[in-house]
Amino acid sequence: MVVDLVNTVAGLLGLALTALTLTRVRAVRRAQRDERTLIRTLYGTDAAATRIRAAASHLARSRDAKARELAQDLILFSGQIEGVSRALDSDGRAASATGAVELKEEGYFTSEFLAEVVAGARQAIDVLMYRPITIATAPVLAALRDAAERGVEIRMLALSVEATDEVLSHGATVMPAAAVYQPEQLRPQLLEAERRIAIHVKTWPAAAQRRLGYRRYRTPPGPHLIRADRVISAGFVDLQSGPMPVRFDERVFIQLPADGKLGTHFTSHFEVVWASAEPAPMQ
């Protein structure tokens, strides 16, 4: 009887200590998050990025070539500020255990890959792609809707149908061999994919629709990536080191923490392109 009582008391004490430890861990995380927010407020980084972006927008409309060049530099600078802020704000629940860069042998940007990545996101999803055909498939759009409904903020960047022939030609050269070869083939594919996305998004609840941002960029394609919370998956789509794979599931990619040096670079690049891109009509 006494032994049973001692065991019961010991079990209750262990449970209480576990609960206390968990509460303290959560409190520390909240304190760290609040500290980061306070630092950004004191130094005015958020406000500075907004003002720099506004100044860049004004200078970009100037007829003076030097003013437009300065505008591009300011956009880059504001993107770097916002990229670092987003990396710091991520909570790390989806980060790899080691925090190291991992090479994945296949499966990049397939429908299955995207649906799995989106399903694991809890805060934010950023996608920088060339052509949104895979995004426009039913499984991925359904996963995006579920993510938006649970409060995930989603931003997507794709090539603009109004980009120059030179830009689209470059985009065509870095796509899988079974894709496209000329700008006149790529433009209708971009439009059709956007149309499918728009039709699906119109069925989402209003709150979920507001969490989706879709923009077009007109610059030559650079990195190709998707960021889910604190993990970035980046494809070797733009590396001309050998023949492009015929199938999407043959493409290799890397996964890395968004708050590391390389991850911060990718995040900053996304912010730069996002700031300079135009919202798609999505209708």
Side-chain angles (χ1 to χ4, degrees):
M1 189 73 175
V2 174
V3 173
D4 291 341
L5 180 60
V6 170
N7 289 336
T8 301
V9 171
L12 291 173
L13 285 173
L15 181 61
L17 287 172
T18 300
L20 179 61
T21 301
L22 180 60
T23 300
R24 289 190 173 182
V25 168
R26 289 177 174 173
V28 169
R29 287 179 177 174
R30 283 196 300 269
Q32 290 174 337
R33 186 169 58 248
D34 293 342
E35 182 181 4
R36 290 194 298 267
T37 301
L38 177 60
I39 290 173
R40 291 204 316 273
T41 302
L42 289 174
Y43 283 94
T45 54
D46 292 341
T50 301
R51 291 172 183 171
I52 291 171
R53 208 164 44 244
S57 177
H58 176 75
L59 289 171
R61 294 192 294 269
S62 173
R63 295 182 180 180
D64 184 76
K66 290 186 177 180
R68 294 194 300 271
E69 183 179 344
L70 177 60
Q72 291 300 315
D73 291 340
L74 289 175
I75 290 174
L76 175 62
F77 185 49
S78 67
Q80 290 171 339
I81 293 174
E82 293 176 354
V84 171
S85 294
R86 288 181 69 86
L88 287 173
D89 282 341
S90 301
D91 67 0
R93 281 176 291 184
S96 63
T98 63
V101 176
E102 298 181 36
L103 177 67
K104 305 292 183 177
E105 296 292 340
E106 60 183 10
Y108 178 65
F109 227 74
T110 62
S111 294
E112 296 78 10
F113 165 82
L114 288 172
E116 181 179 354
V117 169
V118 169
R122 293 295 176 267
Q123 290 184 325
I125 297 169
D126 289 337
V127 185
L128 177 52
M129 56 194 156
Y130 303 161
R131 190 181 50 162
I133 283 183
T134 310
I135 289 286
T137 57
V140 180
L141 289 172
L144 286 169
R145 173 175 178 156
D146 291 343
E149 287 182 341
R150 64 175 179 268
V152 177
E153 298 292 332
I154 304 167
R155 299 186 297 174
M156 296 191 293
L157 280 164
L159 272 170
S160 173
V161 296
E162 298 176 0
T164 63
D165 284 353
E166 290 76 14
V167 168
L168 294 185
S169 293
H170 177 66
T173 63
V174 295
M175 291 181 185
V180 297
Y181 302 95
Q182 301 296 331
E184 58 266 24
Q185 295 173 288
L186 184 52
R187 292 185 200 277
Q189 291 188 12
L190 292 170
L191 282 172
E192 175 60 18
E194 287 183 5
R195 186 187 69 84
R196 293 180 187 178
I197 295 171
I199 290 174
H200 198 282
V201 170
K202 287 178 182 177
T203 68
W204 297 9
Q209 291 186 37
R210 288 192 293 271
R211 294 190 184 100
L212 172 66
Y214 184 101
R215 293 186 182 183
R216 299 167 171 171
Y217 63 92
R218 304 190 189 191
T219 55
H224 191 292
L225 62 91
I226 176 170
R227 182 181 75 88
D229 297 335
R230 278 189 63 195
V231 175
I232 292 175
S233 299
F236 296 99
V237 181
D238 197 22
L239 294 183
Q240 307 276 345
S241 57
M244 292 300 297
V246 175
R247 301 200 320 266
F248 283 119
D249 59 4
E250 294 177 332
R251 297 190 296 188
V252 299
F253 65 103
I254 56 172
Q255 282 189 333
L256 61 149
D259 53 359
K261 289 183 178 180
L262 183 57
T264 301
H265 171 76
F266 279 128
T267 305
S268 298
H269 179 81
F270 181 94
E271 297 296 343
V272 170
V273 180
W274 181 263
S276 61
E278 68 264 13
M282 299 301 291
Q283 57 183 330

